[in-house]
Amino acid sequence: MKKSRELLEKLGYPSTDLTDLPTSTKTFPDGAQYRIELPSTEGPVALRETLKEIDSYGLTIHRISQGSGIMLLTDEEIKEMCELTAERGMELSLFVGPRGTWDISASSFTSAGKTQGLRHEGADQLVYAMEDLKRGARLGLRGALVADEGLLMLTKEMKRHGQLPQDFVVKVSVQMGAANPVSVKLMQDLGAGTYNVPTAMTLPKLASIRQAIDLPIDLYVEVPDNFGGFLRYYEIPEIIRVLAPVYIKFGLRNHPDVYPSGKQWESTNISLVKERVHRASLGVQMIERYYPEAKTSKLGAEGLGIPEIISSKVIN
């Protein structure tokens, strides 16, 4: 294996998993080591309830994300979500719309085809996804999730050609699946703003990825059942130390799959978002107890995809 390891090192990559768990010296632009994300906030009603719950616990939450997609939200709903988060200096990240699991193909539901995941099939789906991104941006959105390498590269070109704002944060979904230093570095080169690593990775493996990239890592510390259902709360302090800059992401185990969401799931979604905030409060207490010197960002910090409030007159 010597020559293989030497080649990796020559190319600037770690040649082994970092079992010594070195402390990361990398940070967010404001010098912070970690930020906190709450996913699966499906629509403005769920967002309003999330914000109320955040206030009741006195938490600082930096990013709100959503999985059903821009496509399934009206202009008014997107504007409301943008306004609610912009007022607080929080990032809002909405998924792009049509993707593999919602297409007419059943391939991604088969045992052999699951690796297709949420990628876009054919050129038309790429165009639809690009239109989702542009509509969101026109309505004030400054962050979105993508799960396709081609679309990721196109976001970089869309910025270059003036079709997306330069400060638009492209968050790569956990469903992209890149899981080693070289493949995640490729995601960074393609235009990723932050990268959600696979959920079942040890700290030594993650440490090797951190050595190869500069962009923030997103990591579930409570993982939805369909991604493994892991609870990694006691690891949070070490995750921050080793992986900074990192988004600590609180999913929820033991809950129904609500995607694509809508009013048929509204009462369930409200109960789910409330419990995610509760879980986040438990995670924050872990940090306070075991790593109180860890630095976090203030709301409104540089690098957050904070929406702009757009008047109806401008949109029309």
Side-chain angles (χ1 to χ4, degrees), residues 36 87 103 135 212 245 265 274 301 305:
I36 294 177
E87 288 167 357
D103 199 7
R135 181 167 78 97
W265 282 109
K274 287 182 175 181

Side-chain angles (χ1 to χ4, degrees), residues 4-5 8-9 13-20 181 204-209 211:
S4 295
R5 295 191 190 279
L8 279 171
E9 290 170 4
Y13 297 104
S15 60
T16 185
D17 296 338
L18 303 183
T19 55
D20 57 335
K205 291 177 180 178
L206 292 168
S208 71
I209 291 173
Q211 188 177 87

Side-chain angles (χ1 to χ4, degrees), residues 137-192:
R138 284 196 300 271
L139 295 167
L141 188 66
R142 291 298 179 267
L145 291 97
V146 305
D148 182 280
E149 298 91 334
L151 180 62
L152 178 58
M153 189 188 76
L154 285 171
T155 62
K156 193 174 180 179
E157 291 299 317
M158 290 170 75
K159 289 181 179 183
R160 194 164 72 88
H161 287 85
Q163 295 190 22
L164 276 182
Q166 290 297 318
D167 61 350
F168 197 95
V169 176
V170 180
K171 168 179 162 58
V172 177
S173 166
V174 67
Q175 303 210 47
M176 187 79 90
N180 63 65
V182 179
S183 59
V184 179
K185 174 62 163 57
L186 179 61
M187 298 302 110
Q188 178 176 287
D189 294 345
L190 287 175

